[in-house]
Amino acid sequence: MPQMTVLEILNRTKVFFEKKGVPDARLDAEYIICFGLGIKKRMDLYLNFDKPLSAAELDKLRPLVARRANREPLQHIVGDTSFRGHTIKCDTRALVPRPETEELVDMAKERLASVATPFIVEIGTGTGAIAIACAKEIPGAKVLATDVSAEALALAKENADANETPIEFAQGDLLDAVSGEAMAKAAGDASAKIDSLIANLPYIPDGEKGKLQPEVDKFDPELALYGGPDGLSLVRKMLKQTEGRLSAGASILLEIGSEQASVLESEAASYPWLEFTGIHKDFCGNIRFVSYKAK
Ligand code: SAH
């Protein structure tokens, strides 16, 4: 049998992925083949379309293709993703950071532009992506990142080390993790006030369990996904805990589900120390974030 070329393998993989319901079948086929063959840029794959593949190369590709066909996320297979250009290792210990979430960091940057050494707290850090981006991109930032999951925190620490970002981590439920001891380590003051509180907490309603796409349902940790009957249980609990913890004018920036924004707006009076400052869309035009300002 004549050897198959890169292009033939690419086409076969694409068709196989389509059959298995993989979203973006062609693109993921390209990424998997690049990864398996050690090709750094997709452009270089195009330049190699006519190259015949050796048996050894095919042996390398087969298990990778099988994993993606089983709907394992691409980011788990290749081992990392890019979040605002920072390389973030991804595995089953934490949710794969989504591109939409990157905008939370822009929102924080804008609001902290005139604060010299802002104390930023991220609740539910997962891989650490948001905290790492804040530490890298916001001058003078002191960052404390928390999670209830020890596994997620272990991964976040590996990512912070790999990105050479000095972040303080603490484990615990929501703001309980932001203890005097944790603040002393992160901000040098056990009674520090938070200048920006950022969170992408689990917000999928419990009723959606088992209905999500397999990449999420089977491979993202359940602890990272579900937020109670209407998805907002953790968000409400955290907002209540913010009383007295924020500096004047501090921001709270939350990623939420699109239908949850107006619910939070209608409940704004439950938190009289906060001003509801807006519902924000992501780059796809979907409602994705809400913001508050401390009075
Ligand atoms: N910030 C990351 C991860 C979001 S997933 C990102 O945007 O990509 C939500 C995270 O919240 C998970 O890591 C989960 O472990 C954490 N979490 C769930 N319940 C929590 C709680 N009660 N307190 C703190 N963190 C919690």
Side-chain angles (χ1 to χ4, degrees), residues 122 125 144-148 153 157 168-172 177-179 182:
E122 191 208 352
T125 194
L144 173 61
T146 81
D147 208 290
V148 78
L153 280 178
K157 279 180 196 156
E168 198 54 48
F169 291 99
Q171 189 184 357
V178 188
S179 62

Side-chain angles (χ1 to χ4, degrees), residues 57-83:
E57 285 172 323
L58 281 174
D59 284 347
K60 261 197 201 152
L61 290 179
R62 252 181 233 109
L64 301 172
V65 169
R67 286 172 68 186
R68 187 69 191 101
N70 187 37
R71 307 296 297 274
E72 187 171 343
L74 180 69
Q75 298 87 344
H76 287 191
I77 300 169
V78 305
D80 59 34
T81 192
S82 167
F83 187 83

Side-chain angles (χ1 to χ4, degrees), residues 76 90-97 125-128 151-152 155 219-221 224:
H76 287 191
C90 297
D91 59 36
T92 50
R93 289 177 287 176
L95 184 107
V96 172
T125 194
T127 57
E151 292 77 33
L155 176 58
F219 294 97
D220 277 328

